[in-house]
Amino acid sequence: PSLPVVIGEINSHTWAFGDIARHEQREACRRVPGLSLVGTVDLPRISGDGAHFTTDAMLTLGTRFAAAFQGAKRDWLLVPPAT
């Protein structure tokens, strides 16, 4: 029960159920102790692909995940862990 878990926000703006999935991710983080959600929709994706992150975005995402695991509070940490 004390294991921290960090998930990345569903980033697709074109997927039919993306808004629903992002809403449910936030709700899960509010309900489940130790579960945090890291924002991703602001990160650049590969041109023409739209689904995969660029190399720089992957490095940023890794930094965000590491900080979330360390308990840092940042503007991109969409939902801090429930207590």
Side-chain angles (χ1 to χ4, degrees):
S2 62
L3 177 69
V5 176
V6 179
I7 59 174
E9 178 183 34
I10 296 292
N11 73 348
S12 176
H13 296 286
T14 59
W15 181 43
F17 302 103
D19 289 338
I20 294 169
R22 284 186 289 275
H23 171 77
E24 292 303 318
Q25 285 180 308
R26 286 184 180 93
E27 288 302 310
C29 290
R30 288 186 182 98
R31 290 189 309 267
V32 178
L35 182 61
S36 299
L37 178 63
V38 171
T40 64
V41 295
D42 64 319
L43 298 175
R45 289 174 263 168
I46 296 173
S47 179
D49 175 278
H52 297 95
F53 294 115
T54 64
T55 301
D56 287 340
M58 289 297 294
L59 293 171
T60 299
L61 188 56
T63 299
R64 290 179 180 185
F65 269 83
F69 273 110
Q70 294 171 349
K73 301 292 186 254
R74 303 278 192 262
D75 58 351
W76 44 258
L77 185 58
L78 298 179
V79 182
T83 54

